Amino acid sequence: MNAFFRYLTIQFKMDLRDRGFLLSFYMMPLIFFAVMGAVFSSINPQMKTTLAATMTIFAATMGAVMGSPTPLVHLRESGTLRAFRVNGIPTSAVLSVHSVSTFLHLFLVSCVIYVLSPVLFHSQVPQSPPLYFAAAAAFLFASVGVGMLIGSCARGQSQATVISMLVFMPSILFSGIMFPSSMLPEPFLWLGRIIPATYALQSFYGLAYRMQTDLDGLLSLAAVLGFGILTFLLAAWRFRQIGETEQI
């Protein structure tokens, strides 16, 4: 356990020194939060009510889906992952450390957004902060799972980028964080039903803000957690497959 936390500490510090990581996890989400917060506040004052939730979903999707797969692919391509296994460090430990480090970074960004939203844009404070952070943690968990799965399945960094974009854009456009889902055409509305961001937004609305929702808040939260568990299991299985193939 001490070795795990030592590795996690090293990985966390290494992430902070990576410019690409900082761009995907901190700079882009916070810049988007500042710009879109101002736009939403001026164009549609009602949207700033739940600004912290929508920007948290964007930040988590941006960091986990766009930022986290590339380092995993690099570990595989550079032979670092194989070197870990040769030295007795299981693939599951590497996957766990990267997952926890990614989760912690995204949670920090989510906390910054939560604190700054009422200060900068006078957004509404959630009626239930504990349930707000429960919904945020569940979505971070699911988003990191998606990132790990992409990183385990992509054959190269360019392919990881393409897959990440194919996941990122529907999550932003069809989940309801940019505009109400009711405005979407029927096919896109159903496409949004298979995206965890849609259920995360419903859980934020129903549980934290006590708003009327299209889907039950608790069921939406359970769906997000289930999606996260499934993606992590698939990612772990895929990494185990990669290890067995290399040994052969």
Side-chain angles (χ1 to χ4, degrees):
M1 188 60 69
N2 288 335
F4 176 85
F5 284 111
R6 191 179 303 114
Y7 181 18
L8 176 61
T9 302
I10 294 173
Q11 183 62 47
F12 190 87
K13 292 179 180 179
M14 288 175 60
D15 291 339
L16 291 176
R17 295 175 182 174
D18 189 316
R19 293 182 180 179
F21 187 94
L22 291 176
L23 180 66
S24 299
F25 279 72
Y26 289 93
M27 294 182 63
M28 285 297 295
L30 292 178
I31 290 173
F32 187 87
F33 161 66
V35 174
M36 295 309 295
V39 171
F40 287 162
S41 300
S42 59
I43 295 179
N44 188 358
Q46 292 182 348
M47 293 193 69
K48 72 178 183 179
T49 301
T50 57
L51 184 65
T54 55
M55 291 299 100
T56 293
I57 292 175
F58 175 86
T61 307
M62 180 73 184
V65 176
M66 296 295 295
S68 63
T70 302
L72 288 177
V73 175
H74 179 70
L75 283 177
R76 289 162 44 201
E77 291 181 333
S78 63
T80 306
L81 192 62
R82 185 174 184 179
F84 278 139
R85 284 195 295 269
V86 171
N87 286 278
I89 301 175
T91 303
S92 58
V94 179
L95 184 65
S96 299
V97 166
H98 278 268
S99 300
V100 174
S101 179
T102 299
F103 182 93
L104 293 176
H105 285 293
L106 293 176
F107 188 77
L108 286 175
V109 174
S110 301
C111 290
V112 171
I113 293 173
Y114 178 85
V115 172
L116 291 183
S117 292
V119 176
L120 297 179
F121 306 111
H122 306 289
S123 64
Q124 180 179 325
V125 177
Q127 295 186 30
S128 177
L131 290 177
Y132 175 93
F133 284 105
F139 183 64
L140 293 180
F141 172 70
S143 299
V144 173
V146 173
M148 297 300 110
L149 182 59
I150 294 173
S152 65
C153 293
R155 296 182 178 178
Q157 296 189 40
S158 59
Q159 189 181 76
T161 301
V162 173
I163 297 175
S164 296
M165 186 60 69
L166 291 176
V167 175
F168 175 75
M169 292 306 296
S171 298
I172 299 303
L173 297 176
F174 305 146
S175 63
I177 70 170
M178 298 295 292
F179 39 79
S181 300
S182 57
M183 298 175 60
L184 294 172
E186 193 71 19
F188 292 151
L189 180 63
W190 284 106
L191 179 60
R193 297 300 191 197
I194 64 174
I195 298 173
T198 300
Y199 298 96
L201 189 64
Q202 293 294 310
S203 62
F204 274 119
Y205 285 175
L207 299 178
Y209 291 95
R210 306 291 171 81
M211 297 170 58
Q212 186 175 0
T213 58
D214 299 327
L215 303 171
D216 182 76
L218 282 175
L219 290 178
S220 298
L221 185 63
V224 174
L225 288 172
F227 194 89
I229 293 172
L230 177 62
T231 51
F232 268 109
L233 289 176
L234 290 174
W237 171 79
R238 177 57 183 161
F239 267 104
R240 191 180 304 113
Q241 254 195 343
I242 293 171
E244 292 175 354
T245 303
E246 289 183 351
Q247 288 176 4
I248 295 173

